[in-house]
């Protein structure tokens, strides 16, 4: 059974650019969430999608956005990149609420 | 706000010794609690979860945790540490009725020495 797949694994972008990260959840999982991990702030919740609808949103600026497609695949977009956006971005999928998440290996974004 | 607190950002044990990683939660409603492990340059792997079925929860790799409501704790233990257990461990909570959002503790880095 395939796990959660995130692409790309590594990314280097320049300040001011935008970036799109992709996540394919485990087959049958309809809940997809995104987290940002940094040494200073730890693991922070970005947003959660269920059946193409954003169900929860964390405390991040509007430059961070996401969407979910009908096949449950999800993308997150960060516009006007800042140096502080450098982080490991983790996607996770879940079969149902309160069930716990399965995480992907993450996308390491470096903004220079 | 509901949260979890992990006591000790770094814990060091000898191989074969007991592992005890501490986690306390704050929640006004019954929470769902999780322990995750993260190896370098990897995502998070679920070790175990408490969903109110049983207070003593057994997980993978010999880990277990006990939910103690009176102490608002969910400490992670393993009787005998192995070198391969060296990693960062995160306690996390989902609050009932709060959607499917995980709130993580700050993590505990476990070092296992020979």
């Amino acid at each position: 059974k395939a796990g959660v797949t995130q692409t790309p694994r590594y990314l280097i972008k320049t300040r001011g650019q935008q970036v799109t990260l992709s996540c394919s959840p485990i087959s049958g999982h309809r809940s997809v969430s995104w987290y940002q991990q940094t040494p200073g702030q730890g693991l922070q919740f970005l947003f959660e999608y269920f059946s193409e609808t954003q169900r929860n949103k964390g405390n991040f600026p509007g430059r961070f956005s996401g969407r979910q497609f009908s096949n449950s695949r999800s993308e997150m977009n960060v516009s006007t990149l800042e140096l502080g956006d450098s982080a490991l971005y983790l996607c996770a999928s879940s079969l149902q609420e309160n069930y716990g998440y399965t995480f992907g290996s993450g996308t390491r974004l470096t903004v220079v | 706000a509901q949260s979890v607190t992990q006591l000790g950002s770094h814990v060091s044990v000898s191989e074969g010794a007991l592992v005890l990683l501490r986690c306390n939660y704050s929640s006004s409603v019954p929470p769902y609690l999780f322990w995750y492990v993260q190896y370098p340059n990897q995502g998070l792997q679920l070790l175990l979860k408490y969903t109110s079925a049983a207070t003593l929860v057994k997980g993978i790799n010999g880990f277990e945790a006990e939910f103690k409501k009176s102490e608002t704790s969910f400490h992670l233990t393993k009787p005998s540490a192995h070198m391969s257990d060296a990693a960062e461990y995160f306690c996390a909570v989902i609050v009932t009725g709060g959607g499917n959002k995980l709130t993580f503790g700050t993590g505990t880095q476990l070092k296992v020495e020979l």
Side-chain angles (χ1 to χ4, degrees):
Chain A
K1 188 177 184 181
V4 178
T5 304
Q6 290 187 247
T7 56
R9 283 297 309 275
Y10 301 92
L11 207 49
I12 300 175
K13 289 287 187 178
T14 304
R15 271 181 302 174
Q17 287 186 313
Q18 75 165 16
V19 67
T20 299
L21 311 182
S22 180
C23 173
S24 293
I26 291 173
S27 178
H29 286 196
R30 293 161 65 190
S31 173
V32 174
S33 290
W34 290 87
Y35 293 81
Q36 181 197 64
Q37 185 177 27
T38 59
Q41 299 299 317
L43 282 154
Q44 292 188 287
F45 171 77
L46 280 157
F47 25 67
E48 182 215 354
Y49 288 88
F50 184 85
S51 293
E52 301 179 66
T53 300
Q54 187 180 87
R55 219 164 44 167
N56 264 304
K57 189 177 191 305
N59 189 25
F60 278 83
R63 300 185 296 107
F64 291 80
S65 63
R67 59 179 176 169
Q68 187 180 33
F69 302 95
S70 58
N71 61 358
S72 292
R73 191 176 71 84
S74 178
E75 289 182 346
M76 69 162 281
N77 183 278
V78 187
S79 62
T80 320
L81 284 165
E82 300 177 359
L83 295 178
D85 297 333
S86 295
L88 179 66
Y89 290 88
L90 293 164
C91 171
S93 72
S94 179
L95 185 62
Q96 62 191 61
E97 195 162 313
N98 304 324
Y99 197 73
Y101 277 103
T102 301
F103 282 80
S105 297
T107 293
R108 173 76 62 185
L109 172 64
T110 303
V111 182
V112 297
Chain B
Q2 290 74 20
S3 66
V4 289
T5 302
Q6 292 184 243
L7 296 173
S9 58
H10 291 81
V11 170
S12 183
V13 300
S14 300
E15 192 175 34
L18 171 72
V19 175
L20 171 61
L21 304 182
R22 299 176 187 274
C23 173
N24 288 88
Y25 69 91
S26 67
S27 173
S28 56
V29 297
Y32 293 87
L33 293 159
F34 307 83
W35 275 100
Y36 283 88
V37 62
Q38 186 177 35
Y39 298 98
N41 299 316
Q42 295 293 319
L44 302 171
Q45 182 183 13
L46 180 65
L47 280 175
L48 50 80
K49 60 187 177 187
Y50 168 74
T51 57
S52 76
T55 56
L56 182 62
V57 183
K58 294 188 183 298
I60 62 171
N61 302 339
F63 285 94
E64 64 181 37
E66 186 172 7
F67 174 74
K68 292 187 177 180
K69 186 178 178 180
S70 60
E71 299 177 8
T72 61
S73 69
F74 190 58
H75 301 330
L76 182 70
T77 60
K78 182 174 181 178
S80 177
H82 191 271
M83 296 295 288
S84 60
D85 295 327
E88 189 155 24
Y89 293 79
F90 293 92
C91 182
V93 63
I94 289 177
V95 176
T96 311
N100 214 12
K101 169 188 167 183
L102 275 167
T103 299
F104 286 91
T106 51
T108 297
Q109 187 71 46
L110 176 66
K111 183 178 179 181
V112 182
E113 299 174 316
L114 286 171

